[in-house]
Amino acid sequence: MTPDNKTPKPRRAVLQAAGLAALAPIAIRPVQAQDKLQGSMVMYQDKPKDGQKCSGCLHFQPPNACAIVAGNIAPEGWCAVWAAKP
């Protein structure tokens, strides 16, 4: 006879399996470089704000793209992840 603490309990096995199943999408899905934020998530607007505009941002990719925000980006636009070019 084996001690109870060495045999898996059915409930514990079910909970462990459920936990692994919940983590599966994270483990299986590789990070995609093309995953970007929606403009609404970063308050994107197609006008500058306080002298800051996309064309002066570190993340801007001419002529109309951004490394962080999805969609067409106006060079005169602005969003909350704006960072000055070095």
Side-chain angles (χ1 to χ4, degrees):
M1 186 168 186
T2 60
D4 283 338
N5 62 355
K6 290 191 178 182
T7 57
K9 306 248 185 246
R11 180 178 170 201
R12 182 176 295 161
V14 169
L15 291 175
Q16 287 173 343
L20 291 174
L23 293 175
I26 296 168
I28 293 171
R29 182 178 174 261
V31 174
Q32 301 288 323
Q34 64 268 24
D35 286 349
K36 295 184 179 184
L37 299 173
Q38 294 301 314
S40 60
M41 297 171 73
V42 293
M43 300 183 294
Y44 173 76
Q45 60 188 38
D46 59 1
K47 299 174 189 162
K49 181 177 180 180
D50 300 327
Q52 300 173 345
K53 55 185 177 180
C54 293
S55 62
C57 178
L58 175 69
H59 309 295
F60 184 68
Q61 299 172 330
N64 62 348
C66 177
I68 296 177
V69 182
N72 286 330
I73 303 298
E76 296 293 313
W78 176 89
C79 81
V81 293
W82 186 90
K85 288 182 180 177

